[in-house]
Amino acid sequence: MASGNPFSDDLRSKPEVIDTPQNEDILGSESVNDPTQPATKPNFVVYSSVRELLECPVCLNAMYPPIHQCSNGHTLCSGCKPRVHNRCPTCRHELGNIRCLALEKVAASLELPCKYQSYGCVGMYPYYGKLKHESQCSYRPYSCPYAGSECTVVGDIPFLVAHLKDDHKVDMHSGSTFNHRYVKSNPHEVENATWMLTVFNCYGQYFCLHFEAFQLGMAPVYIAFLRFMGDDNEARNYSYSLEVGGNGRKMIWQGVPRSIRDSHRKVRDSFDGLLIQRNMALFFSGGDRKELKLRVTGRIWKDQ
């Protein structure tokens, strides 16, 4: 597993509801009036059946208008129709341009739970509005903020904190102030390993401090920025400052941490942080200007 600290002190290495019939033949005469038996939910059964009908047989995703059908009534989504060369994947009949309006109307009558129900979302949403809600759902999982590899892990904040600590071996610190020293033997080179991630726990929240080099034009540029492990509306409650200097000079950056909903690359490429040109970084390092020695200090505070 890759180390989470490649930069160290030495880096040289309703709608209508459809009800099912409720008679003794379906429910069973012994259980209809028996209070010890669990209550049946006929509407849930119908909804489950309709949801199966709304599943495209090719991509297995939910279908949205226009829903196509063959002359035998088999359906598929509009995205998959070109993939099957106008042949029904079920009976191989020609599809033509028949639209299944009945199924589209039935879908409009459905309300379904969010797919992030297991993360805490308890709402019910119209079938045709469910995708939009899920794209903005505050309970949707976060992507791992580790920038040193293409990590595909997702989860809630407590899970990701444990994942960063246990799997990526990221340094964890408590407190709202920090003082880090970054050393690199050849500041003229930019490699994939020239970055650092540190996680801070303060104010009952978690923050990710990133520091890295990347190529801007022909020369390396160094950037430090903070990301908030939570949503953007919460991130706006906090501010942070970063300071770097040497030889009697210093640079100061003050900003608002970005949510980890924004990718590491998106924040970096927007230059939303303390940006240090290579010549300035070497000037701050002092000496013979052949080794990068930067000390970055900063603090996090909660806005009143």
Side-chain angles (χ1 to χ4, degrees):
M1 187 63 66
S3 169
N5 189 12
F7 255 105
S8 63
D9 282 350
D10 187 359
L11 274 186
R12 296 176 177 84
S13 55
K14 304 171 190 172
E16 191 173 325
V17 175
I18 304 172
D19 292 318
T20 57
Q22 298 184 24
N23 54 46
E24 294 184 357
D25 290 335
I26 293 179
L27 298 179
S29 59
E30 295 182 0
S31 63
V32 171
N33 298 315
D34 186 349
T36 64
Q37 295 294 324
T40 58
K41 296 181 179 180
N43 290 340
F44 176 79
V45 175
V46 173
Y47 285 170
S48 298
S49 299
V50 175
R51 287 177 67 183
E52 290 179 6
L53 290 175
L54 287 164
E55 183 180 275
C56 175
V58 178
C59 65
L60 304 181
N61 293 324
M63 294 187 290
Y64 294 89
I67 298 175
H68 297 281
Q69 71 174 26
C70 72
S71 57
N72 288 328
H74 302 126
T75 57
L76 81 163
C77 71
S78 57
C80 287
K81 185 183 177 186
R83 296 170 55 190
V84 298
H85 306 292
N86 207 37
R87 290 285 175 181
C88 173
T90 304
C91 66
R92 309 307 299 168
H93 280 205
E94 186 175 349
L95 284 171
N97 291 307
I98 307 172
R99 185 169 170 179
C100 189
L101 297 175
L103 190 56
E104 291 178 9
K105 290 181 179 179
V106 169
S109 73
L110 292 179
E111 285 192 341
L112 303 174
C114 174
K115 73 176 180 180
Y116 301 123
Q117 188 178 47
S118 61
Y119 288 95
C121 184
V122 296
M124 298 290 290
Y125 302 93
Y127 183 84
Y128 291 136
K130 183 170 174 284
L131 283 181
K132 182 178 180 181
H133 160 76
E134 290 172 348
S135 69
Q136 303 169 349
C137 180
S138 60
Y139 290 95
R140 69 192 189 277
Y142 299 88
S143 297
C144 173
Y146 188 79
S149 65
E150 298 298 325
C151 184
T152 59
V153 169
V154 298
D156 58 18
I157 299 303
F159 174 83
L160 287 182
V161 170
H163 165 68
L164 288 170
K165 180 181 179 181
D166 298 337
D167 297 332
H168 293 303
K169 311 303 180 185
V170 169
D171 287 339
M172 300 282 176
H173 296 275
S174 295
S176 59
T177 61
F178 43 89
N179 185 336
H180 285 286
R181 182 169 177 260
Y182 305 100
V183 177
K184 184 168 173 55
S185 59
N186 187 352
H188 296 272
E189 294 181 358
V190 177
E191 303 166 354
N192 293 332
T194 57
W195 62 275
M196 176 179 179
L197 171 64
T198 307
V199 174
F200 293 89
N201 179 10
C202 57
Y203 304 106
Q205 307 287 348
Y206 289 93
F207 300 83
C208 296
L209 175 64
H210 296 265
F211 180 86
E212 70 172 277
F214 68 102
Q215 200 77 26
L216 184 63
M218 299 298 293
V221 172
Y222 303 93
I223 188 170
F225 57 87
L226 197 72
R227 287 202 292 167
F228 175 74
M229 295 189 71
D231 279 347
D232 187 61
N233 60 335
E234 296 178 89
R236 288 193 290 265
N237 295 325
Y238 301 90
S239 297
Y240 74 103
S241 64
L242 298 172
E243 180 178 315
V244 63
N247 289 332
R249 282 87 169 172
K250 66 181 178 181
M251 294 174 60
I252 299 175
W253 164 268
Q254 180 172 320
V256 176
R258 297 277 286 272
S259 165
I260 59 171
R261 296 283 189 205
D262 290 335
S263 70
H264 156 269
R265 182 180 294 273
K266 180 179 180 180
V267 179
R268 186 197 71 185
D269 292 350
S270 67
F271 308 136
D272 192 3
L274 177 64
L275 200 66
I276 312 164
Q277 300 291 336
R278 184 186 66 185
N279 288 339
M280 183 64 72
L282 291 175
F283 180 79
F284 288 151
S285 299
D288 56 8
R289 297 169 62 90
K290 293 182 178 180
E291 185 176 52
L292 178 71
K293 295 178 181 178
L294 289 178
R295 185 175 297 278
V296 177
T297 62
R299 70 183 184 97
I300 306 165
W301 65 92
K302 187 172 184 179
D303 295 328
Q304 301 299 323

